[in-house]
Amino acid sequence: MENRLKNKNTNNPDVWTAIQHLHKAIAAGGVDPKLLALVHLRASQINSCSPCVYASVAGGKKAGDTDERLHNVAAWRESPLYSDAERAALALAEGATRLQDGAPGVTDEIWEEANAHFTEEQIGAINLEIALTNFFNRINRTIKEPAGQTWG
């Protein structure tokens, strides 16, 4: 796959500044970076965004997660490797990512489960991580960004 956008460094620097501020807001939410990487990974798997799958595995490993847990995210419901809080965050990521015609999205049950495990500030950070992941997934799919590339 060849990237359609040849020189990303000429893009508007205000966009990169805004993205950096979003990352700071997510980090300030008090959510474990391993959990954020799992959320990023699951949304990216759903959207078939290979560079974001690659980046979230690298981020998860950097945060101290294991290969076994990262490789099992696609089947998190069937795996005993995740805590109840992680399961709630993964369900939230799936519900918020799958918004196609007829999908239920984030149901009251998913929302209530997330509220049982996270503070409002943490849920805000998780939701922002999901939204930013979906943002990058769509850009990367549009420009055909290959996996294994670095950004910024």
Side-chain angles (χ1 to χ4, degrees), residues 13-117:
D14 290 339
V15 172
W16 293 109
T17 299
I19 290 168
Q20 289 173 338
H21 286 292
L22 291 171
H23 281 294
K24 287 179 184 177
I26 292 166
V31 179
D32 184 343
K34 289 192 298 188
L35 186 139
L36 292 173
L38 293 176
V39 164
H40 189 275
L41 177 56
R42 187 63 194 126
S44 298
Q45 288 171 335
I46 292 166
N47 290 324
S48 298
C49 181
S50 65
C52 285
V53 167
Y54 180 91
S56 45
V57 168
K61 289 174 107 174
K62 183 178 176 182
D65 218 333
T66 65
D67 286 335
E68 184 180 25
R69 282 172 40 88
L70 294 166
H71 289 298
N72 277 282
V73 168
W76 64 271
R77 284 182 179 84
E78 292 78 29
S79 175
L81 300 173
Y82 307 100
S83 69
D84 289 342
E86 290 167 331
R87 291 174 184 284
L90 289 166
L92 186 62
E94 285 188 4
T97 299
R98 291 190 165 134
L99 297 176
Q100 70 275 17
D101 294 342
V106 177
T107 64
D108 289 341
E109 179 181 326
I110 291 171
W111 187 256
E112 289 167 13
E113 188 65 21
N115 270 308
H117 296 283

